[in-house]
Amino acid sequence: MDDVLRLLDLLAGGAGSEQLAEVGAGNPELAKATELALRISATLSAHRRREAELTALFDTASDLARLHDPDAVLRSIVRRARTLLGADVSYLSLNDEAAGRTYMRVTDGCVSQLFKEVVLGMGEGIGGLVAQTARPYASPDYFRDSRFQHTGPIDDAVRDEGLAAILGVPLSLGAEVIGVLYASDRTPREFTPDEVALLQSLADHAAIALDNARLLDEISSHSAAVQRAEEAHDRLMDLVLRGGDVPDVAAAVADVLHGAIGLFDADGVPLASAGAPVVPPSAEAVAASRATGRSVTGDGVWVCAVQAGPEPLGSIVLAGRPELVGADRRLFERAAVVTALLLMLRRSVAKAEDEVRGELLSDLLTAPGRNPAALVARAARLGVDLTEPHVVLVAHAESVSRTRLAMAAARHAALAGSHADEVVLLVRAEDPSLAPRLATQLGSVVDSPVTVGAGGPASGPAAIAEAHAEALRCLRALLALGRTGEGASAAELGFLGVLLGDRGDLDGFVRRTLGPVLDYDTRRGTELVRTLEEYFAAGGNLTRAKEALHVHVNTVVQRLERVASLLGEDWQSPARALEVQLALRVHLLRRSAR
């Protein structure tokens, strides 16, 4: 117990994996606890790293919004690159096309004056390879890497700085590479894909800063245009910083450019609009904009692709402006960049929320008794009150991925995610009969049959976990019965629900099946239940039934007619008769037990 408490204390204090592993070393009884502590520590570290990266990107966007000194923004980006990647040195070089040279613009962590002042010819070194291919390039050990052109001056500068591992990513404006952002270590190192992506994001911000600065320089002679561009830029950046969304960008750009704006996703589906209706752009126009990195015109509208690096995210369309030149065209293209940033931030937030909700759902269903109060508190932070009744549903689609099905289900649920190879939904409701309706709705969204089992309603972690088990059994029963594309709860499955249920709601089953007959006997003092028992015991033979009851055969017929009026004319159909017989048997057994 002392060692477990020590593990928890180290975990709460942010101890590293080596310290945690040391506690459990040589103690097999602590192996599971140590493993869990290491997993929790890894998860917390990943969350902290993700938070630091998002904070850095937001801080960089804030710097862009206050763009008065481009060098200050670039210094900030280079410093953040070094910090976030844990690199020894970071630096940024810019191309001088006219002189055919590449020079250092900003450095952080450098100690060699030779390195700070080195000038590269176009196409030389790692930077030359990055500029030529417009793609990131990582060398885990610079002097052992023969994939790029080594030159004496560059090698001397790298050797004087003592660098070994170098990662370079392009600063791109459309198809043009204007420079390279680097992160370097003085010892050999492999850079991960996440580190490459993070450095590329910072490089994109640096390119925006340089492009914005160049834009402001170009239009400085036109005070009215400059003022409008600054106001529009600040307005767009303010939207980002205030948590604005795509419709806000559409409204702001339409207002500044005095035209109609339409924003569309990569499939041409409208995301937002402002002003008169705008039709989706042609695939050819979007492709032309992506190829040039600039806005293009055709059919009386302007089109600019929205993309993050090579990934297409959609497009922005401006109508009502036959002419679009200078600052206005730049502003329209900046709006595409801001839209891309918002879409990427929306994706990151959605992914983070999905991860948090998925972790909560997994803990809720696999370990509800470990710390119920903590589970309730975690759910409350996501806007879910586990103390209220919830129906648990398990959805299955044979030809649809779980990710797609979970995304379709999320709009119907307080919590939704994948668990145990199926999609699980937690819906605030008191009636599990919504399963058939949900099966129909999900099936229409994913265009494939969706089968849904329901359990509950249940309140509290333990009861919700039990309801999930019940819902899973209902789902398996539906699939086993060939009822693909349907939805049902244990109650809707009738006696199958009783057989499947682990909570054994036998009284509820008897009441649902025989309730009117039982109530009639109680009120009138009749023997309809006994008549049914003898009738089924006689195999439906009226003569044998009347002998067992010691009444006239007409009396048996009259009693069965009364049963039909109470249970419905179809009570003797095969399916109903089976349920009635099972309910009679359960009623008899429970009456005998009492």
Side-chain angles (χ1 to χ4, degrees):
M1 185 62 183
D2 291 340
D3 287 336
V4 172
L5 291 175
R6 184 183 174 195
L7 273 175
L8 293 174
D9 185 57
L10 287 172
L11 193 60
S17 57
E18 293 183 359
Q19 291 177 276
L20 295 172
E22 183 180 348
V23 176
N27 190 342
E29 296 180 356
L30 276 180
K32 184 63 177 178
T34 303
E35 179 187 353
L36 290 174
L38 290 171
R39 286 169 53 193
I40 293 171
S41 177
T43 300
L44 291 174
S45 296
H47 286 178
R48 285 193 294 268
R49 183 175 65 253
R50 187 180 300 113
E51 181 180 359
E53 292 171 359
L54 288 175
T55 299
L57 291 177
F58 276 114
D59 289 344
T60 303
S62 179
D63 290 340
L64 290 175
R66 300 188 299 268
L67 181 62
H68 300 297
D69 181 0
D71 284 333
V73 176
L74 295 179
R75 284 194 298 271
S76 175
I77 290 174
V78 171
R79 183 173 62 255
R80 286 177 184 137
R82 180 188 176 199
T83 301
L84 290 175
L85 270 69
D88 294 326
V89 179
S90 59
Y91 48 100
L92 185 148
S93 66
L94 293 180
N95 298 337
D96 185 345
E97 295 287 349
R101 298 283 184 178
T102 297
Y103 63 95
M104 292 289 185
R105 177 71 176 264
V106 181
T107 64
D108 190 78
C110 291
V111 295
S112 166
Q113 194 63 31
L114 176 63
F115 187 82
K116 293 179 182 179
E117 297 174 354
V118 68
V119 177
L120 295 71
M122 299 295 286
E124 296 177 351
I126 289 180
L129 185 61
V130 173
Q132 288 176 347
T133 62
R135 297 176 59 184
Y137 189 89
S139 176
D141 196 338
Y142 175 85
F143 289 103
R144 295 179 180 272
D145 198 335
S146 59
R147 293 173 293 173
F148 55 89
Q149 181 183 352
H150 286 265
T151 66
I154 299 175
D155 286 358
D156 290 342
V158 172
R159 188 177 291 106
D160 194 53
E161 185 63 43
L163 300 180
I166 301 177
L167 166 64
V169 298
L171 274 70
S172 301
L173 291 177
E176 179 187 3
V177 178
I178 62 172
V180 180
L181 177 62
Y182 301 86
S184 303
D185 262 7
R186 294 190 170 90
T187 57
R189 167 183 176 178
E190 294 284 350
F191 292 95
T192 68
D194 286 344
E195 291 172 332
V196 175
L198 177 59
L199 193 64
Q200 183 65 70
S201 296
L202 293 170
D204 291 342
H205 282 82
I208 293 172
L210 291 168
D211 195 37
N212 286 342
R214 184 170 65 181
L215 171 62
L216 294 176
D217 289 340
E218 288 176 357
I219 64 175
S220 60
S221 60
H222 307 284
S223 59
V226 170
Q227 183 177 0
R228 187 173 67 254
E230 287 180 344
E231 290 175 353
H233 179 268
D234 290 343
R235 186 172 176 181
L236 292 177
M237 286 297 101
D238 186 57
L239 286 177
V240 175
L241 297 175
R242 288 190 295 102
D245 208 345
V246 176
D248 301 314
V249 173
V253 177
D255 181 52
V256 172
L257 296 181
H258 306 292
I261 289 289
L263 291 170
F264 304 88
D265 68 10
D267 297 321
V269 177
L271 296 174
S273 63
V278 178
V279 299
S282 66
E284 293 76 13
V286 177
S289 176
R290 288 188 61 202
T292 62
R294 299 294 305 277
S295 56
V296 298
T297 184
D299 299 327
V301 299
W302 287 86
V303 178
C304 191
V306 177
Q307 56 189 18
E311 180 184 0
L313 300 177
S315 59
I316 180 171
V317 179
L318 171 64
R321 285 289 304 269
E323 296 291 331
L324 193 67
V325 296
D328 284 351
R329 185 174 179 182
R330 291 278 189 178
L331 175 60
F332 179 59
E333 293 165 354
R334 292 289 74 70
V337 175
V338 173
T339 301
L341 177 60
L342 286 175
L343 292 177
M344 292 300 291
L345 289 175
R346 178 195 288 182
R347 180 188 296 180
S348 298
V349 170
K351 182 178 179 181
E353 288 184 349
D354 287 343
E355 289 179 356
V356 172
R357 289 177 178 271
E359 291 171 359
L360 172 61
L361 187 63
S362 178
D363 291 345
L364 185 61
L365 299 181
T366 56
R370 183 178 300 162
N371 192 340
L375 290 173
V376 171
R378 286 168 60 190
R381 288 194 291 271
L382 296 174
V384 181
D385 187 355
L386 296 182
T387 64
E388 295 290 331
H390 284 79
V391 172
V392 182
L393 303 110
V394 182
H396 172 85
E398 198 65 43
S399 58
V400 178
S401 69
R402 290 194 301 276
T403 300
R404 184 183 174 199
L405 183 57
M407 291 176 63
R411 70 187 65 179
H412 301 282
L415 279 178
S418 298
H419 179 74
D421 294 329
E422 302 292 354
V423 173
V424 181
L425 296 80
L426 198 63
V427 180
R428 173 69 177 87
E430 298 185 12
D431 183 5
S433 63
L434 53 83
R437 183 173 70 255
L438 185 64
T440 302
Q441 292 173 342
L442 292 179
S444 65
V445 172
V446 302
D447 196 25
S448 181
V450 178
T451 311
V452 179
S459 303
I464 287 173
E466 293 176 2
H468 166 257
E470 179 181 303
L472 189 58
R473 285 191 291 271
C474 289
L475 172 65
R476 291 170 178 167
L478 289 169
L479 296 175
L481 293 170
R483 293 172 59 178
T484 302
E486 298 183 27
S489 63
E492 291 165 324
L493 287 173
F495 72 91
L496 283 176
V498 175
L499 296 176
L500 292 167
D502 64 343
R503 287 180 285 180
D505 186 16
L506 298 176
D507 288 335
F509 170 66
V510 171
R511 289 297 307 173
R512 287 191 298 271
T513 308
L514 293 176
V517 174
L518 295 170
D519 293 340
Y520 191 89
D521 277 354
T522 300
R523 290 195 310 269
R524 303 293 183 89
T526 54
E527 294 187 327
L528 296 183
V529 171
R530 181 165 177 258
T531 300
L532 282 173
E533 292 174 355
E534 297 298 343
Y535 174 70
F536 284 120
N541 187 292
L542 295 174
T543 301
R544 291 206 299 270
K546 66 100 176 176
E547 291 174 354
L549 292 167
H550 304 292
V551 297
H552 194 274
V553 68
N554 289 340
T555 303
V556 177
V557 173
Q558 292 170 358
R559 290 180 179 178
L560 295 179
E561 289 176 348
R562 175 61 64 185
V563 169
S565 69
L566 295 170
L567 299 184
E569 295 296 334
D570 65 337
W571 74 275
Q572 292 192 76
S573 66
R576 287 290 307 281
L578 180 59
E579 288 198 4
V580 171
Q581 290 182 70
L582 181 59
L584 285 170
R585 182 62 57 87
V586 172
H587 177 64
L588 177 62
L589 291 173
R590 294 181 73 81
R591 186 175 60 192
S592 298
R594 286 195 292 266

